[in-house]
Amino acid sequence: MKILVAVKRVIDYNVQVRVKEDGTGVVTDNVKMSTNPPDDNAIEEAVKLKEASKATEIIAVTVGEEKAQETVRKALAVGADKGIHIKVDGIIEPLAVSKILQKIVEKEKPDLVFMGKQAIDDDCNQTGQMLSALLNWPQATFASKIIVKENKLEVTREVDEGLETIEVNVPAIVTCDLRLNEPRYASLPNIMKAKKKPIEQINASDLGVDTKPRIQQIKVEEPPKRKSGIKVANVAELVQKLKNEAKVI
Ligand code: AMP
């Protein structure tokens, strides 16, 4: 089974994101960037399936500027066999990413596509679902457990009510939840070995996909500062404040 894993480069989750003074976006210069956290789970799961002889090849793919290659390199260091970097500058929206991934799927013919459930920069939670629609493949989103069966996957999904288990036919798209596994760290020897693994670079424009943003970003601003809380003496006071001051009941 061949698995394609989509990995996105985002601002590291430990960084306190700052809005640019002119409100045109967030500061990314000299800011630590990392792989989108659930994408690490997606790679980890693919590597585990390969170690269990259920997968034969893992291809890591990213869409983004030149530096996005670092994300592919990291995936190669933890066990992916080959990387693909689709080069595009500027903001790229989920629809354009999913159209690009559709082209890569048609070229590489994987049996499975693993992705993160959501990117922590745009919080869109759209790319996997859109790719599934474009390919007309089944999707299993928010996966916290994956069991490979004959031409099928049994996937446990994290849903609002708790857990839901579904079966999907392969080929399929799976978007991975943080609870799926514990991503491993790349060892130094594997980081060195990853430098020799191939990364194919393709310009998005050569794939014939229109990557122009469809959403116009008008202004980015900091959320309002939270006022400090107060302690109430008893339930009666709490109810009175909720009713008369917060006016929420
Ligand atoms: P989103 O729909 O933006 O929340 O992203 C969901 C998932 O789609 C991410 O966790 C990635 O696996 C994948 N993805 C989104 N954007 C990119 C990108 N630029 N390059 C590679 N994968 C991406």
Side-chain angles (χ1 to χ4, degrees), residues 56-67:
T56 48
E57 188 184 6
I58 303 167
I59 304 175
V61 56
T62 196
V63 182
E65 58 189 27
E66 193 64 39
K67 284 188 176 161

Side-chain angles (χ1 to χ4, degrees), residues 92-99 101 115-119 122-134 139 141-142 173 175 215:
I92 175 119
E93 291 173 356
L95 182 60
V97 175
S98 49
K99 285 182 179 171
L101 293 178
M115 315 173 67
K117 63 165 182 177
Q118 198 163 354
D122 58 21
D123 259 346
C124 278
N125 173 25
Q126 295 171 356
T127 314
Q129 295 86 334
M130 286 176 174
L131 180 62
S132 154
L134 289 168
Q139 59 177 304
T141 52
F142 306 104
I173 311 288
T175 77
I215 297 170

Side-chain angles (χ1 to χ4, degrees), residues 210-225:
D210 177 7
T211 56
K212 275 201 294 297
R214 291 167 183 234
I215 297 170
Q216 194 195 349
Q217 194 171 283
I218 309 214
K219 193 160 184 245
V220 179
E221 48 189 51
E222 300 272 356
K225 295 257 176 300

Side-chain angles (χ1 to χ4, degrees), residues 22-244:
D22 62 5
T24 56
V26 297
V27 178
T28 52
D29 289 346
N30 301 319
V31 166
K32 184 173 185 292
M33 306 292 283
S34 298
T35 305
N36 182 46
D39 305 0
D40 280 330
N41 298 90
I43 282 283
E44 176 65 28
E45 198 63 16
V47 173
K48 279 167 78 177
L49 289 178
K50 192 168 175 207
E51 286 169 346
S53 304
K54 289 179 179 155
T56 48
E57 188 184 6
I58 303 167
I59 304 175
V61 56
T62 196
V63 182
E65 58 189 27
E66 193 64 39
K67 284 188 176 161
Q69 259 200 47
E70 289 164 12
T71 309
V72 171
R73 207 46 90 188
K74 184 182 162 205
L76 295 173
V78 289
D81 300 289
K82 178 181 139 178
I84 301 179
H85 172 214
I86 312 296
K87 204 169 165 292
V88 54
D89 291 320
I91 291 175
I92 175 119
E93 291 173 356
L95 182 60
V97 175
S98 49
K99 285 182 179 171
I100 287 171
L101 293 178
Q102 179 189 18
K103 299 273 180 195
I104 301 303
V105 167
E106 283 161 5
K107 178 169 171 274
E108 296 291 338
K109 305 199 170 20
D111 303 282
L112 290 173
V113 179
F114 282 180
M115 315 173 67
K117 63 165 182 177
Q118 198 163 354
I120 60 166
D121 53 358
D122 58 21
D123 259 346
C124 278
N125 173 25
Q126 295 171 356
T127 314
Q129 295 86 334
M130 286 176 174
L131 180 62
S132 154
L134 289 168
L135 292 168
N136 199 22
W137 284 13
Q139 59 177 304
T141 52
F142 306 104
S144 61
K145 189 171 174 192
I146 301 172
I147 300 173
V148 178
K149 296 181 163 179
E150 186 88 2
N151 296 324
K152 276 187 179 51
L153 297 182
E154 183 184 295
V155 180
T156 303
R157 305 182 56 233
E158 300 277 325
V159 293
D160 288 347
E161 296 77 21
L163 297 177
E164 179 191 56
T165 302
I166 59 167
E167 267 192 354
V168 287
N169 290 330
V170 170
I173 311 288
V174 181
T175 77
C176 301
D177 191 271
L178 295 170
R179 290 181 189 83
L180 180 60
N181 52 41
E182 190 67 46
R184 69 194 68 189
Y185 289 99
S187 64
L188 192 56
N190 285 342
I191 293 173
M192 300 312 286
K193 275 191 218 149
K195 292 189 195 260
K196 295 202 181 109
K197 292 187 184 175
I199 298 184
E200 185 182 354
Q201 215 179 23
I202 303 170
N203 285 320
S205 51
D206 294 340
L207 294 172
V209 174
D210 177 7
T211 56
K212 275 201 294 297
R214 291 167 183 234
I215 297 170
Q216 194 195 349
Q217 194 171 283
I218 309 214
K219 193 160 184 245
V220 179
E221 48 189 51
E222 300 272 356
K225 295 257 176 300
R226 280 186 70 174
K227 288 197 208 122
S228 55
I230 53 157
K231 273 191 179 170
V232 290
N234 50 41
V235 173
E237 190 189 348
L238 174 67
V239 172
Q240 181 268 326
K241 284 196 181 299
L242 290 175
K243 214 178 204 167
N244 303 323

